[in-house]
Amino acid sequence: GLDGVRLDEAGWMHLGPLVTHNHCAGSKLVGERALPLAQACWEVGAPQIRNRATVAGNLITASPANDTITPLLALDAGVTLRSARGERTVPLREFYTGVRRTLMEPDEILTDIAFPALRPDERGMFLKLGLRRAQAIALVNVAVIVQFAQTDGIPLAHQPVTRARVALGAVAPTIVRAAEAEAYLAGRTLTPEVIAKAGALARGAARPIDDVRAPAAYRSEMVAVLV
């Protein structure tokens, strides 16, 4: 039962520790209720890697460029850790302490990944920029989830935003949330001007470095573009 994907009665989705990237990418439930995660899983490696590599392994590896951490952070996910001493649940936003570093103790294993499934008034998307179209480490990746007000007779996309979650990968020592952009979007309707301003504010949450794949300035600009 460790490779199961399920939705509980409270509307939380649970991924077992042996759920692979292809399992997520091909899951109707994940596609309908956690689309950014399905999109991120499609971006990981090659088919052979996606058939073997697990989402839990991606989280524990803790690289700031890992694709599945970004949507799960935007989804407000948490992980359950278990050892002979007991069990604890840690929000993903508290799980990472630095590059490739987590709060896991040497005797702990990850037994569950859980997050609230997207509701009918929410929309989400994941985008990744790499140096090539496949099998590339992210220069920047972004997950955005937006919750809208619901007024009869008005299309959802034309409703004011009630809550936004914006997560950024490969632009800081850990994957981060763009809190200023999230706060700005709340209460506003998504016009082109509002979207552009949110992208500019998200750029302020990025602290990228120059490395062999891209200069910091390029990464910062691409944060604004992707958001």
Side-chain angles (χ1 to χ4, degrees), residues 30-99:
V30 175
E32 291 177 349
R33 302 297 301 275
L35 179 62
L37 177 60
Q39 291 171 321
C41 286
W42 272 119
E43 297 284 356
V44 174
Q48 297 92 330
I49 293 170
R50 292 193 295 272
N51 277 333
R52 295 294 302 275
T54 62
V55 176
N58 205 236
L59 298 189
I60 292 168
T61 303
S63 166
N66 280 5
D67 294 318
T68 62
I69 301 173
T70 310
L72 286 168
L73 187 65
L75 286 160
D76 290 329
V79 294
T80 299
L81 307 175
R82 184 182 296 178
S83 71
R85 295 177 285 109
E87 186 176 272
R88 62 181 176 139
T89 298
V90 180
L92 205 60
R93 64 181 179 274
E94 300 173 7
F95 186 57
Y96 298 102
T97 59
V99 178

Side-chain angles (χ1 to χ4, degrees), residues 8 11 27 29 40-42 53-54 74 85-86 102 110 127 132 135 145-147 154 163 175 218 223 225-226:
D8 68 20
S27 165
L29 181 61
C41 286
W42 272 119
T54 62
R85 295 177 285 109
T102 74
L110 191 155
L127 291 174
R132 51 185 184 264
Q135 299 192 65
I145 295 171
V146 178
Q147 183 179 25
I154 300 177
R163 185 187 180 208
I175 290 169
Y218 179 73
V223 166
V225 170
L226 293 180

Side-chain angles (χ1 to χ4, degrees), residues 18-37:
L18 296 184
V19 170
T20 66
H21 295 87
N22 264 355
H23 188 164
C24 265
S27 165
K28 186 173 185 289
L29 181 61
V30 175
E32 291 177 349
R33 302 297 301 275
L35 179 62
L37 177 60

